[in-house]
Amino acid sequence: MEREGGGLPGRGHVELLPDGSEHRTGVWIVNQKQRRDRLDPSQLAALAELGVDWAR
């Protein structure tokens, strides 16, 4: 989030990894938010530590 100037990336964001593969980061974030009631407390805490407001 810091690299992008704050805020979460949009649903269409794709991160290019050093090995040349891609990670659909935007979709992953949306999925985590939609399934937050099924995340365990340590997963929510990790997301909150990264600055994800809805994980608090």
Side-chain angles (χ1 to χ4, degrees):
M1 290 190 320
E2 288 177 25
R3 184 183 75 201
E4 302 301 325
L8 295 174
R11 180 173 174 76
H13 181 79
V14 177
E15 190 72 26
L16 181 60
L17 301 176
D19 67 0
S21 64
E22 296 179 342
H23 182 267
R24 296 172 53 194
T25 307
V27 171
W28 182 84
I29 291 171
V30 169
N31 287 341
Q32 299 314 298
K33 184 175 183 179
Q34 290 175 343
R35 300 171 185 154
R36 65 181 170 250
D37 60 324
R38 291 179 270 171
L39 297 176
D40 66 49
S42 66
Q43 291 171 314
L44 286 170
L47 289 168
E49 228 178 276
L50 292 172
V52 178
D53 291 335
W54 52 259
R56 295 188 175 149

